[in-house]
Amino acid sequence: MKGIIYIAHGSKMPDKNERFRAFVQHIIEKRPEPIQHVAFLEKDDENVPIVLRRMVAEGLTELIVVPMLLFPAMHAVEDIPTQLESVLASTNIPYVIADCFGDTAFVYEVAERIIAHYKNETILITAHGNKRFTEPDVRLTQMVDQMSVRTGQNLIPAMLYGNLSFEEILKKIDKGTPIVLMPYFLFDGHLVRKIKRLSKPFIEAGYNITFTNTLDLHFDMTHGVLQKIQEVS
C-alpha cells in the first residue's frame, strides 16, 4: 500500500504540535493514500523511525516523504534521509522525498497579506537560514524579489542564521527608517523569540522596528504542500 509520512521539526509546546496535526490533517483529507502519518524530528515518542515502523507494520509498500519545512537545509538534506535509511535500508520499500514548500505562491501570498498595509516601510522577510546551506538564501531571495514586483513594497530577504543575517542588514539601514520585520516561520516559537531578543539592542539604540505575525500555519499553505506532493506522485 502507498503511504505518506509528513515530517515536521516538532515543538516542546504540546499545543503547537496539536495545531500542526490539524494543519496536516487538512492535507491528509485531500490525498488518496491509505497510510498517512505525521512524525516529528524532535519528539522521542513520535519520531521518524517509530512512525515508519508503524507504517511498515500496516502494510506499507511505497512511500512519499514530505518534509514539513519551508526551505531545504540540514533537516531536509541530512537528518530526514538518515532517519529514513535507519528503517528502510533493510526493506525493499521505495521512497521519494518531496521538496520543501516555503517558496510556493500559496505560502508567500499568505506573507503578502500579513504585510499588505505597510506602504513606506522597509520590510525584512526573515526566515531561519543556515551557515552551511546556501539554497535557503537563494530561494528566499528569489521569492522576495517576486513579492517585491507584485506588491511594489521595499522587501529585503533576511535570515536569523547565515549570510543573510538580519542583524547585519539592520546595521546598514538608516536608524530613522521605519522597519518591519516579518518572521517567515510556520508558527511562533523560540526562534521567533530569538529574533525579537536580538532586535532589542537595535530598538534600544533608536531603531523603529515593528514585528508582524508569523505565517501561523494558515490553511492556505496546505495547497503548497499538496503541490509538492503532486510533483513526486
Side-chain angles (χ1 to χ4, degrees), residues 140-158:
L140 181 69
T141 299
Q142 291 174 343
M143 183 197 77
V144 171
D145 286 347
Q146 292 178 52
M147 291 171 64
S148 297
V149 172
R150 285 163 57 99
T151 67
Q153 294 167 298
N154 182 20
L155 308 181
I156 298 175

Side-chain angles (χ1 to χ4, degrees), residues 101-110 150 224 227:
F101 65 98
D103 56 349
T104 62
F106 299 104
V107 181
Y108 68 68
E109 285 171 2
V110 172
R150 285 163 57 99
Q227 175 181 312

Side-chain angles (χ1 to χ4, degrees), residues 79-95:
D79 295 343
I80 289 176
T82 297
Q83 294 194 31
L84 291 170
E85 284 298 314
S86 71
V87 175
L88 299 180
S90 60
T91 74
N92 293 318
I93 298 172
Y95 67 89

Side-chain angles (χ1 to χ4, degrees), residues 14 29 60 97 101 119 121 149 158 161 171 181 189 191 212 224:
E29 291 169 358
L60 181 72
I97 302 177
F101 65 98
K119 301 303 179 186
E121 295 83 355
V149 172
Y161 302 111
K171 291 175 184 177
L181 201 153
L191 292 178
T212 74

Side-chain angles (χ1 to χ4, degrees), residues 185-202:
F185 288 76
L186 290 176
F187 53 79
D188 196 356
H190 77 279
L191 292 178
V192 176
R193 292 193 292 274
K194 183 173 184 178
I195 289 172
K196 292 180 179 179
R197 186 171 69 251
L198 293 175
S199 299
K200 190 173 180 181
F202 292 93

